[in-house]
Amino acid sequence: AARFLPFTDSLSALHPKKGATMLKYQSIASDIQRSIESGALKPNAKLPTVVELCEAYGVSKITIKRAIELLTERGLISSRRGS
Protein backbone atom coordinates (compact mmCIF):
# COMPACT_ATOMS: atom_id res chain seq x y z
CA ALA A 1 0.00 0.00 0.00
CA ALA A 2 1.17 3.51 -0.79
CA ARG A 3 1.93 5.77 2.11
CA PHE A 4 1.11 9.45 1.74
CA LEU A 5 3.44 11.87 3.42
CA PRO A 6 2.73 15.49 4.26
CA PHE A 7 3.93 17.76 1.45
CA THR A 8 7.13 18.90 3.19
CA ASP A 9 8.05 15.36 4.23
CA SER A 10 7.55 14.05 0.72
CA LEU A 11 9.79 16.79 -0.67
CA SER A 12 12.56 16.07 1.78
CA ALA A 13 12.27 12.36 1.02
CA LEU A 14 12.79 13.11 -2.67
CA HIS A 15 15.56 15.66 -2.07
CA PRO A 16 17.14 14.89 1.30
CA LYS A 17 19.91 17.46 0.87
CA LYS A 18 17.72 20.24 -0.52
CA GLY A 19 16.94 21.92 2.80
CA ALA A 20 20.37 21.32 4.32
CA THR A 21 22.61 22.69 1.58
CA MET A 22 23.04 26.20 0.26
CA LEU A 23 22.55 27.12 -3.34
CA LYS A 24 25.77 27.92 -5.20
CA TYR A 25 25.20 31.67 -5.21
CA GLN A 26 24.51 31.63 -1.46
CA SER A 27 27.69 29.67 -0.82
CA ILE A 28 29.73 32.09 -2.96
CA ALA A 29 28.15 35.09 -1.21
CA SER A 30 29.03 33.56 2.17
CA ASP A 31 32.60 32.95 1.03
CA ILE A 32 32.98 36.57 -0.11
CA GLN A 33 31.33 37.77 3.13
CA ARG A 34 33.91 35.80 5.15
CA SER A 35 36.68 37.46 3.12
CA ILE A 36 35.21 40.88 3.93
CA GLU A 37 34.76 40.10 7.62
CA SER A 38 38.26 38.64 7.96
CA GLY A 39 39.84 41.70 6.35
CA ALA A 40 41.09 39.81 3.30
CA LEU A 41 38.95 42.21 1.25
CA LYS A 42 39.50 45.78 2.39
CA PRO A 43 36.79 48.49 2.54
CA ASN A 44 36.39 50.32 -0.79
CA ALA A 45 38.55 47.75 -2.57
CA LYS A 46 37.31 46.45 -5.89
CA LEU A 47 36.08 42.90 -6.10
CA PRO A 48 37.41 40.77 -8.94
CA THR A 49 35.37 41.10 -12.13
CA VAL A 50 32.33 38.91 -12.74
CA VAL A 51 34.33 36.93 -15.32
CA GLU A 52 37.21 36.44 -12.87
CA LEU A 53 34.79 35.27 -10.17
CA CYS A 54 33.12 32.90 -12.68
CA GLU A 55 36.50 31.34 -13.40
CA ALA A 56 37.53 31.21 -9.74
CA TYR A 57 34.31 29.48 -8.63
CA GLY A 58 33.61 27.54 -11.83
CA VAL A 59 30.09 28.93 -12.21
CA SER A 60 28.05 31.00 -14.66
CA LYS A 61 27.72 34.78 -14.72
CA ILE A 62 24.15 34.63 -13.41
CA THR A 63 25.34 32.70 -10.34
CA ILE A 64 27.96 35.37 -9.59
CA LYS A 65 25.46 38.16 -10.24
CA ARG A 66 23.03 36.56 -7.76
CA ALA A 67 25.80 36.31 -5.16
CA ILE A 68 26.65 39.99 -5.71
CA GLU A 69 22.96 40.91 -5.43
CA LEU A 70 22.74 39.05 -2.12
CA LEU A 71 25.82 40.82 -0.74
CA THR A 72 24.40 44.17 -1.89
CA GLU A 73 21.09 43.42 -0.14
CA ARG A 74 23.04 42.61 3.04
CA GLY A 75 24.77 45.99 2.77
CA LEU A 76 28.22 44.43 2.49
CA ILE A 77 29.08 45.70 -0.97
CA SER A 78 27.95 48.36 -3.39
CA SER A 79 28.43 48.32 -7.10
CA ARG A 80 29.39 51.15 -9.37
CA ARG A 81 28.95 50.90 -13.10
CA GLY A 82 32.20 51.09 -14.99
CA SER A 83 34.52 50.94 -11.99
Side-chain angles (χ1 to χ4, degrees):
R3 189 173 83 118
F4 292 97
L5 301 171
F7 182 69
T8 54
D9 288 346
S10 61
L11 277 181
S12 62
L14 293 173
H15 304 288
K17 295 181 181 176
K18 188 71 171 172
T21 59
M22 282 195 240
L23 298 172
K24 282 184 184 179
Y25 79 92
Q26 293 169 322
S27 177
I28 293 166
S30 292
D31 190 46
I32 295 170
Q33 182 173 344
R34 280 191 297 275
S35 293
I36 293 168
E37 291 170 346
S38 73
L41 288 172
K42 303 292 181 204
N44 300 313
K46 288 184 182 181
L47 288 175
T49 66
V50 170
V51 172
E52 290 169 336
L53 289 169
C54 287
E55 291 170 0
Y57 288 100
V59 297
S60 67
K61 286 182 182 179
I62 191 65
T63 302
I64 294 300
K65 288 179 181 181
R66 285 184 177 168
I68 289 171
E69 252 177 49
L70 188 56
L71 292 165
T72 302
E73 288 170 9
R74 292 178 182 171
L76 292 168
I77 64 171
S78 63
S79 58
R80 296 181 212 139
R81 185 173 290 274
S83 47

